[in-house]
Amino acid sequence: MDWGSIFEGAIRAAFDLDAVVFAIAAIGLNIHFGYTGLLNFGQVGFMAAGAYGVGIATTYFGWNPWVALVVGILAAVVLALILGLPTLRLRADYLAIVTIATSEILRLSFRSVSLREFSGGSNGINGFANAFYAWSPFDPQVQYGIRIPGIDLSIKFFGNRAWILLIGWIVVVALLIFVRLAVSSPWGRVLKAIREDEDAVRALGKNAYWFKVQSLIVGGVIGAIGGMVLSIGTQTVQPDVYSTSLTFFVWTALILGGVGRTWSPVIGAMIFWVLLSFTEGVLRQGVENNYLPDWLIDGVQVGQVRFIMVGLGLCALLIFRPQGIFGDRNEMALEDR
Amino acid sequence: MMSDRATASLDGLAEQPGVPKPDPILTVSNVSRSFGGLKAVDVEHLEIQRGMITALIGPNGAGKTTFFNLMTGFDQADTGERVFNGERLSRRAGSAPARRAVASAGVVTVALLGGLVVGGAVGQGNVRLGQILGFVVGLTLLFFGNRMLLTSPPGPRSNAFLDGRAARPLYGIAGLATGLVVSEIAVWATHLDGRWSTLLPFFGTVSSGILGFALGSYVQGPYSPHELAQHGMVRTFQLTKSLTKLPVIQNMALGAKGQVGERLSRGLIHPLWTDQEASIEERADELLKRFKLDHMRNEFAGTLSGGQRKLLEMARALMTDPTLVMLDEPMAGVNPALTQSLLEHIQGLRDDGLTVVFVEHDMDVVSEISDWVVVMAEGRIIAEGPPVAIGRNQQVIDAYLGSDHESNLVRTVDGTGTRDAPTREAPTGDVTTSDDTTGKGSDGASNSDGGV
Ligand SMILES: Nc1ncnc2c1ncn2[C@@H]1O[C@H](COP(=O)(O)OP(=O)(O)O)[C@@H](O)[C@H]1O
Ligand SMILES: [Mg+2]
């Protein structure tokens, strides 16, 4: 087995596009769930709002990319208002139901035939990201990488990918600073208090409803930014990418890292993709080198089996470390008496 | 002395349910709330005297907690009025801003619809010109209408249009009209044609109508708990609500009103609120010291004992600078030593000029600290009066005997029966305590000296 290439693949996955996108989306979800206790099972809907907002604004309306970014963010704000205003007065589970349903409605609408001129139907929107790459200082034909002295790794990305990754990770850092500042402020204190007990917050004269709406908007906009990075990075918006399973993978990344910690969604997203890449690498090489018999698993099944293995690993994590990798077990144990 | 003076003002009041008080902070009338067939609360009239400790007693299931929920906006009464601090606070619609808003909606509607008709005629068939004219006229009327309403004093009872009971339909229609005109103008300005020239006005009108309707429902609706809390009515819960994963000091700081940093845009820029935060924490530390929780300052609230959580909840409520404090069974589950200090705190609140209403089962406790006792049974107020009198009240004894055989009845009857002399002594004990706490007591003492 070529362990070198397996490890290289895994480290590469920690920094590649999927990890950035998951990190951003999970940062948003962390605001919802980690700090406010909102059950948003439709984070992918916000990602789609961002991605389609940019895509439709640039292709259908032909607006300039900066305006398109603003459109993507506004789309997420509107979506948050539509989802939040009616449901956030009700019990927490209503938001969960409505968000999961709405994200599916969005996907099905975007891929529908009648909206094809808008959103491109099942083909999605393509070739809208050129303007973003026009700003790239990197040569698309050249591979770029970071050399760590003393270690022989060849983790390199072509110019365009290097550009979106650079932007993406800068966005991640900026968002982390934003979250840090926000949750350590009195605003963040109200969110955390709502997570603990909404009625206590209301009894103290805070409009808990409005704070929840704000939280949904802020986390949703961050999710939309994740969707924008994904669509620009892949240079396409495909409706079926924005399916419910993406929401749950983002949740997985968040819980893996540990909820309610500033950094943990990022680490969770990186670990999630490292694990997937690593198990895939091991399985694939095992099949190719006939360490694993064909009757057990063949090359086509590797993609699915790795999810099974990661799933089992997550179950183990939840049993042995329910607070996530960076969560505080003592804090988890503080329940109402 | 403080309590002497306070009770003195209630001396000679008829000991009957619903008796008017000289200076009520909270007045409720005809408040009822049913759960299915069960009428949990049915209070004809009740006034809570300002600056006093009123005890609300009654057997389990009497409706005390439900009554608290109704008073603090956590539950909505089927009927009834609530006047707090001289303000009618039953529906948002009664408030001045809501009245203005409703009137504006009415004016806009009339102007828009009128403008459509009149403008259509004046514009000689040019409907769009008419609509724009109507809109301009509507906005002008709106402006002057608001000015007029602002200057006219609010009456205690006005008609449905002015006090907001008609808000929902009015806002709905105003929304529809506004949506129609605005989207028609948009179609005209952008030279849209084809399918969208009909779809846009349709969606615009419908969504704007829904928005108007929702806004109207809000204006017409009852006050939320947080609005009442902002008015100075704060409560604690029978089942303590401590924010377990926040440190004690953060629990306290949350209660402070008017925090700059609670707006996200300001909160992000820490220098804008750190000064305010420091003064909030200073106040919180003082309260924590008073409630003997200062050693737990930086611990998670979840690490406190049950009794300490009761204390924390009370201290946190005080951070909101309330005028009326409603405590639902503050002594439940608190050990006797803590009970004594809780009682002192409650008396301290009264001496600071706050009004306290608290639910309690133990008649000893009630007669020790309360100035006035209100008795509920099966949702109704069956008696009220000073503690001594309530203990002798046959109806009250029956209520406890009738529905709640084991817990308090014997003590109630016993306690009041044998406590005739001790209760007379209680005020004397009060005097010494308030003399001890010279800082707080002196104000009241000098006042009552003057009075005497
Ligand atoms: N949310 C509710 N749904 C149905 N019944 C309720 C509800 N809240 C209270 N009740 C009923 O109303 C009555 C009064 O309850 P409560 O106000 O809690 O009494 P207390 O606080 O005086 O012990 C009880 O019979 C109770 O079962
Ligand atoms: Mg109760």
Side-chain angles (χ1 to χ4, degrees):
Chain A
M1 295 245 274
D2 179 3
W3 288 104
S5 78
I6 291 176
F7 279 114
E8 259 173 33
I11 295 173
R12 183 190 180 85
F15 297 98
D16 210 348
L17 187 65
D18 288 322
V20 189
V21 171
F22 271 51
I24 297 175
I27 290 172
L29 201 56
N30 198 26
I31 299 227
H32 293 154
F33 181 68
Y35 291 109
T36 326
L38 301 179
L39 286 176
N40 169 19
F41 283 132
Q43 186 68 336
V44 76
F46 288 104
M47 297 170 76
Y52 273 98
V54 171
I56 292 172
T58 37
T59 53
Y60 186 82
F61 292 104
W63 289 337
N64 109 7
W66 290 108
V67 178
L69 291 177
V70 174
V71 169
I73 286 171
L74 286 182
V77 173
V78 171
L79 180 62
L81 289 175
I82 292 171
L83 290 172
L85 290 180
T87 56
L88 288 174
R89 283 191 190 286
L90 310 171
R91 277 203 331 261
D93 28 1
Y94 285 88
L95 180 71
I97 297 164
V98 169
T99 47
I100 198 169
T102 306
S103 67
E104 271 297 276
I105 291 171
L106 275 181
R107 181 178 71 86
L108 294 172
S109 311
F110 283 138
R111 82 194 301 284
S112 72
V113 179
S114 49
L115 288 178
R116 179 175 263 154
E117 54 173 328
F118 247 152
S119 55
S122 55
N123 290 329
I125 305 172
N126 299 294
F128 61 89
N130 298 335
F132 295 96
Y133 290 103
W135 296 323
S136 167
F138 302 124
D139 183 343
Q141 309 301 325
V142 178
Q143 288 197 321
Y144 295 84
I146 298 169
R147 184 167 293 119
I148 305 160
I151 303 169
D152 182 29
L153 283 175
S154 60
I155 294 161
K156 291 185 176 145
F157 299 98
F158 276 105
N160 279 352
R161 180 53 66 96
W163 172 231
I164 188 69
L165 289 183
L166 179 67
I167 299 288
W169 285 108
I170 289 174
V171 168
V172 168
V173 171
L175 287 175
L176 287 178
I177 293 170
F178 167 84
V179 171
R180 188 79 231 129
L181 289 173
V183 301
S184 58
S185 75
W187 183 79
R189 173 163 63 213
V190 178
L191 295 195
K192 289 182 229 169
I194 289 172
R195 177 190 68 193
E196 299 303 307
D197 194 319
E198 193 182 331
D199 279 346
V201 176
R202 278 143 49 99
L204 293 172
K206 317 287 174 196
N207 189 349
Y209 172 65
W210 178 235
F211 279 96
K212 289 199 288 181
V213 172
Q214 289 180 51
S215 166
L216 192 65
I217 292 175
V218 171
V221 165
I222 295 178
I225 294 174
M228 292 177 193
V229 172
L230 177 60
S231 63
I232 294 170
T234 54
Q235 310 209 24
T236 175
V237 189
Q238 293 292 324
D240 293 331
V241 167
Y242 299 91
S243 60
T244 326
S245 55
L246 187 55
T247 295
F248 290 103
F249 289 151
V250 173
W251 268 94
T252 308
L254 175 63
I255 290 169
L256 199 57
V259 291
R261 291 264 179 283
T262 314
W263 269 97
S264 56
V266 178
I267 309 294
M270 292 170 99
I271 291 175
F272 178 79
W273 283 102
V274 166
L275 284 179
L276 278 181
S277 166
F278 185 77
T279 44
E280 170 160 22
V282 170
L283 287 173
R284 196 165 295 287
Q285 295 217 11
V287 171
E288 278 167 12
N289 299 327
N290 289 322
Y291 295 122
L292 295 168
D294 269 350
W295 57 261
L296 185 65
I297 176 174
D298 62 37
V300 186
Q301 292 166 334
V302 165
Q304 283 92 54
V305 171
R306 64 177 181 157
F307 278 110
I308 296 176
M309 302 204 34
V310 169
L312 288 174
L314 283 170
C315 292
L317 179 88
L318 286 184
I319 291 166
F320 296 111
R321 221 186 140 72
Q323 68 273 39
I325 293 169
F326 294 97
D328 180 344
R329 187 155 209 170
N330 292 331
E331 201 178 318
M332 269 219 42
L334 292 174
E335 288 310 323
D336 292 292
R337 266 180 266 163
Chain B
M1 288 182 233
M2 193 69 199
S3 71
D4 274 352
R5 189 178 57 108
T7 16
S9 66
L10 291 181
D11 273 352
L13 278 189
E15 284 158 21
Q16 68 187 36
V19 58
K21 312 277 183 329
D23 181 18
I25 188 169
L26 178 68
T27 308
V28 293
S29 319
N30 300 316
V31 172
S32 70
R33 174 72 165 109
S34 302
F35 296 109
L38 175 84
K39 209 154 199 185
V41 167
D42 184 11
V43 171
E44 218 164 86
H45 191 84
L46 177 67
E47 298 187 2
I48 305 286
Q49 173 73 358
R50 188 188 307 274
M52 283 204 175
I53 300 177
T54 303
L56 182 59
I57 67 169
N60 290 325
K64 306 180 295 293
T65 298
T66 308
F67 183 68
F68 265 37
N69 288 343
L70 295 177
M71 286 308 98
T72 50
F74 280 90
D75 192 6
Q76 266 75 55
D78 304 327
T79 63
E81 285 271 315
R82 161 177 56 208
V83 176
F84 179 68
N85 248 341
E87 261 187 279
R88 252 173 74 209
L89 287 186
S90 8
R91 280 165 182 283
R92 247 184 229 110
S95 69
R99 284 154 34 91
R100 274 201 306 279
V102 175
S104 318
V107 169
V108 163
T109 312
V110 171
L112 282 176
L113 296 182
L116 282 181
V117 178
V118 177
V122 171
Q124 287 158 356
N126 188 341
V127 179
R128 224 156 251 144
L129 180 65
Q131 287 166 345
I132 295 170
L133 261 175
F135 200 63
V136 171
V137 172
L139 285 180
T140 319
L141 280 179
L142 173 73
F143 179 73
F144 288 108
N146 263 345
R147 296 285 294 264
M148 268 166 53
L149 279 160
L150 261 171
T151 45
S152 72
R157 288 211 179 275
S158 39
N159 63 45
F161 282 87
L162 285 187
D163 83 355
R165 272 170 289 153
R168 196 175 297 148
L170 266 178
Y171 273 61
I173 297 168
L176 284 173
T178 312
L180 179 68
V181 172
V182 170
S183 46
E184 284 283 356
I185 292 173
V187 167
W188 168 71
T190 55
H191 307 289
L192 267 186
D193 47 18
R195 194 154 54 135
W196 285 103
S197 68
T198 42
L199 277 182
L200 182 72
F202 175 75
F203 284 121
T205 308
V206 169
S207 54
S208 167
I210 291 174
L211 218 71
F213 218 77
L215 214 69
S217 309
Y218 172 78
V219 166
Q220 201 172 331
Y223 276 95
S224 316
H226 76 268
E227 290 168 298
L228 295 167
Q230 282 167 7
H231 271 91
M233 196 191 298
V234 74
R235 73 169 298 181
T236 65
F237 295 86
Q238 184 168 353
L239 298 171
T240 324
K241 293 189 184 298
S242 39
L243 308 163
T244 51
K245 283 173 202 164
L246 292 188
V248 168
I249 183 71
Q250 296 287 323
N251 261 269
M252 294 292 289
L254 178 74
K257 267 185 187 169
Q259 296 191 40
V260 179
E262 281 182 4
R263 287 183 51 180
L264 177 57
S265 54
R266 309 270 176 82
L268 285 172
I269 307 164
H270 286 213
L272 290 181
W273 51 263
T274 38
D275 285 350
Q276 190 189 30
E277 181 77 4
S279 67
I280 288 172
E281 287 194 7
E282 201 174 306
R283 206 152 60 85
D285 281 328
E286 270 168 39
L287 273 169
L288 284 178
K289 204 172 254 166
R290 237 173 89 188
F291 282 78
K292 301 197 175 60
L293 288 170
D294 43 336
H295 62 293
M296 300 299 280
R297 184 186 194 275
N298 297 317
E299 306 294 325
F300 283 118
T303 61
L304 299 183
S305 74
Q308 286 175 318
R309 290 183 190 199
K310 284 266 175 202
L311 286 173
L312 174 62
E313 200 186 10
M314 211 163 122
R316 190 178 63 196
L318 295 181
M319 286 295 291
T320 64
D321 275 328
T323 47
L324 172 65
V325 188
M326 305 183 83
L327 309 168
D328 199 348
E329 306 209 9
M331 263 71 83
V334 176
N335 70 48
L338 261 171
T339 303
Q340 205 46 47
S341 81
L342 255 175
L343 292 182
E344 280 163 25
H345 290 314
I346 292 174
Q347 283 174 310
L349 298 184
R350 186 220 7 230
D351 297 345
D352 289 346
L354 273 65
T355 310
V356 182
V357 180
F358 76 111
V359 172
E360 180 52 50
H361 284 295
D362 188 337
M363 203 52 200
D364 289 347
V365 166
V366 168
S367 37
E368 190 177 335
I369 68 161
S370 57
D371 305 304
W372 192 259
V373 181
V374 175
V375 190
M376 274 186 93
E378 291 169 11
R380 296 166 177 281
I381 289 174
I382 56 163
E384 53 175 306
V388 190
I390 287 298
R392 292 199 212 95
N393 187 314
Q394 191 56 44
Q395 248 186 307
V396 177
I397 297 167
D398 287 347
Y400 271 98
L401 275 171
S403 55
D404 194 8
H405 242 277
E406 289 131 67
S407 60
N408 295 302
L409 62 116
V410 186
R411 294 178 73 187
T412 313
V413 182
D414 262 14
T416 45
T418 56
R419 270 176 70 88
D420 226 2
T423 28
R424 260 200 210 118
E425 262 169 36
T428 342
D430 253 0
V431 174
T432 45
T433 40
S434 61
D435 275 351
D436 286 344
T437 54
T438 32
K440 273 178 266 156
S442 59
D443 196 357
S446 63
N447 269 348
S448 66
D449 282 350
V452 172

